[in-house]
Amino acid sequence: MKLKDKVAIIAGGTKGIGLGIALEFVREGARVVVGGTTDKNGEAAIREIEAAGGEGLFVNCDVADLDDLDNIIEKTVDRFGRVDIYVANAGINDADKTHYLDITPEQYDRIMDVNLKGMFFGGQKAAQQMIAQGDGGVIVNMSSVNAYLALDSQFVYTVSKGGIQQLTKVQAVALAPYKIKVNAMAPGPIETDLMRRVGSDKQLMDTILSRTPIGRIGTPQECGRLAVFLASDDSNFIFGQSIYIDGGRGFQAYPTPGY
């Protein structure tokens, strides 16, 4: 088992990609704490984790609230004694399809508070705990193919994801002396609740697939396997990188014929 006896926090871990990561972590021997803002989702996630043979804890956590970030670290240490891995997966896109000229300061602040500020300080607090423990650790940030692609229908979200890639680099430099490894994952289209809603629009789904060379949507489990790699010793010489898991979505210049 690649993560045997490790303790992992997955902020934004109650569904979708985050839950996929939590389930793959427990299959590799980790104990997991999943954070989220909806108790119902959190309780359902713990049932799935336990059904997979794992041990888990749900903590209600809005990453935009710094007190909540302190709380999830404290509850993890209280329950499991330490923090070895912190996955910053929480993110929102409240201004979807709002044109740049119409985005309000309130929309901007809310998205950036969750997607970038929450990741900045969540990683900081996790790193402080890892340093206190004295034997290193791992931080995995969740970026997106939209960190590279200019998607004006998701303007603030796209800006936040670009910021995450630079955050990942400077975190890696700052934390390397403490043996804390920092990398990011950058997913393309993944089978989540949001993507299932997109899938109901055949024209939009065809457009997405026409620009995804592999010709299909990815799965949370595939994201989980990448997260296992980044959290394990297998990736110990990889620092400050954003690893794209997008079926080729980020580099295809023209639509695939047939769509």
Side-chain angles (χ1 to χ4, degrees):
M1 289 187 173
K2 295 180 182 292
L3 303 177
K4 184 173 173 56
D5 298 327
K6 299 294 186 182
V7 176
I9 296 173
I10 301 99
T14 62
K15 59 182 181 177
I17 292 173
L19 180 56
I21 291 171
L23 291 170
E24 292 305 308
F25 276 12
V26 300
R27 289 175 183 129
E28 293 290 345
R31 294 167 289 174
V32 298
V33 176
V34 292
T37 58
T38 305
D39 289 349
K40 181 179 178 182
N41 291 341
E43 292 159 3
I46 294 302
R47 287 194 295 271
E48 286 199 52
I49 288 164
E50 291 175 346
E55 183 180 0
L57 171 70
F58 166 67
V59 178
N60 192 297
C61 177
D62 179 351
V63 297
D65 186 324
L66 301 191
D67 289 337
D68 277 10
L69 290 173
D70 286 329
N71 185 52
I72 197 169
I73 299 290
E74 290 169 7
K75 282 191 170 3
T76 300
V77 174
D78 287 346
R79 173 72 176 270
F80 296 120
R82 58 187 298 107
V83 178
D84 299 297
I85 303 161
Y86 183 80
V87 179
N89 178 63
I92 60 172
N93 188 18
D94 290 353
D96 187 27
K97 297 182 181 178
T98 303
H99 193 276
Y100 171 51
L101 298 177
D102 299 317
I103 292 167
T104 66
E106 292 77 17
Q107 288 174 311
Y108 177 92
D109 287 345
R110 176 59 181 161
I111 294 170
M112 295 299 275
D113 280 354
V114 172
N115 293 10
L116 196 52
K117 179 183 173 182
M119 190 172 292
F120 184 107
F121 286 104
Q124 180 195 71
K125 293 172 186 296
Q128 288 167 345
Q129 175 62 34
M130 293 170 186
I131 291 167
Q133 293 164 189
D135 50 4
V138 175
I139 295 172
V140 179
N141 295 328
M142 192 60 61
S143 183
S144 167
V145 69
N146 289 345
Y148 178 78
L149 299 175
L151 189 62
D152 65 337
S153 64
Q154 299 180 17
F155 201 100
V156 185
Y157 175 86
T158 299
V159 170
S160 74
K161 293 301 182 179
I164 288 164
Q165 293 207 357
Q166 194 69 359
L167 170 64
T168 299
K169 294 176 184 177
V170 292
Q171 278 180 317
V173 172
L175 298 176
Y178 303 100
K179 298 182 180 179
I180 297 174
K181 177 177 59 178
V182 185
N183 288 294
M185 297 170 53
I190 304 296
E191 187 180 310
T192 60
D193 289 344
L194 175 60
M195 186 53 62
R196 280 188 280 273
R197 290 196 294 273
V198 169
S200 64
D201 183 335
K202 186 178 184 305
Q203 183 176 0
L204 178 56
M205 181 57 72
D206 285 349
T207 298
I208 292 170
L209 292 178
S210 76
R211 286 174 165 80
T212 306
I214 199 171
R216 66 171 176 86
I217 302 302
T219 69
Q221 182 180 18
E222 288 171 317
C223 291
R225 294 313 304 168
L226 175 57
V228 168
F229 170 71
L230 292 175
S232 75
D233 290 344
D234 290 345
S235 58
N236 277 354
F237 203 58
I238 300 175
F239 260 67
Q241 301 300 310
S242 294
I243 311 298
Y244 284 84
I245 178 168
D246 64 355
R249 172 72 180 89
F251 60 75
Q252 183 170 348
Y254 299 103
T256 299
Y259 283 94

